Amino acid sequence: MANFVLVHGSFHGAWCWQKLVPLLEARGHTVLAPDLPGSGDDPAPPETADLDSYATRVCWAIDQLPDDVVLVGHSMGGIVSAQASERRPHRLAATVYVNGLLLTHGASLVSFLDAHAGLGVEDLVLKNMQVAADGQTATFPAAAAGEVFYNSCAPEDAAWAAARLTPQRMKIYADRLDLSAAGFGRVRRFYVEGTRDKAVSLAYQRAMTTETPCEAVFTFEGDHSPFLSAPAALAGLLDTVAAQAGA
C-alpha cells in the first residue's frame, strides 16, 4: 500500500481533504495532509508563509513516512509540490497535480499569467479575491466560492467549504520555482485536469501540461475541487497512479 502526502491550495487547509482521506485509508494507504504555514488551523503568522516555508512543511511530512511517497498537489499546492519534489526526489514515487499549478523552472504564477495573457482567460480567482490594503494578504469571499471553487459540489458541501476559507499571503504568487533535471525532473508526474474548473481554467491547465509534459493526464468532468465533488473517483484514480508508480 502507498504513502500519500496531500498539499492543499490557496485559501484552503488540510480540512479540504476530509472526504478523500478516509477513502484512501480504506484502500490500505497511509495519508498525511498537513496545513501549510499560516493556512487552515496552522498558528504560524502570515508573514512566514512563502514558497520556502511551504516546501519545508511538505518535506517534513514526506520525512515522517517510510518508503516512497505519492505527493498530491491541488491548485497552488502544485507549486509547492514541485519545489518539494526538487528537494526530495529520492523519496517520491510520483507527484500528482490535481488542477494544479505546474510551472517551469524560474517561473511564478505571476509570470505564468503574464506569459499566457494571450489565452484570453477571465481569471475568476483574481477577479473575486479581496486584497488587503497593504497588499500582503488576500481573502476569498464565501459568496463567490461556490461558483469558482465548488461549482460541481453538492450545495451543502460547497457551503461547508466556503465557510472555512482563510486569508492567503500573496507572496507565494510571485515566488519563483528553483527546479532542476536532477531533482524535480526525475520525479514521475501525473496530472488531473478538470473540464469545469473555473479557478485554474482548462486552457491554463493544458498550457502547463504542454510546457511540462506528464506521464499521464486524467480528465475529470468536474470542478476545481474533486476531493469534495467526486472524492470516490479521485481516490480510485490516485490508487491507480500509486500502483502504476510502484508506490
Side-chain angles (χ1 to χ4, degrees), residues 95-122:
T95 300
V96 185
Y97 298 82
V98 179
N99 296 334
L101 298 176
L102 177 56
L103 308 180
T104 56
H105 168 68
S108 67
L109 177 58
V110 171
S111 72
F112 173 85
L113 294 177
D114 287 345
H116 296 83
L119 292 176
V121 173
E122 181 184 25

Side-chain angles (χ1 to χ4, degrees), residues 23-63:
L23 296 175
L24 290 173
E25 291 177 338
R27 293 171 178 263
H29 303 306
T30 299
V31 186
L32 287 182
D35 281 319
L36 296 177
S39 298
D41 293 325
D42 186 82
E47 58 267 22
T48 66
D50 59 14
L51 179 56
D52 178 64
S53 71
Y54 285 177
T56 298
R57 176 66 54 82
V58 172
C59 289
W60 170 86
I62 293 169
D63 292 343

Side-chain angles (χ1 to χ4, degrees), residues 88 99 117 129 138-139 148 188 202 204 209 241:
R88 294 291 189 277
N99 296 334
M129 72 181 190
T139 56
V148 179
R188 297 171 71 176
L202 189 61
Y204 283 157
T209 53
V241 169

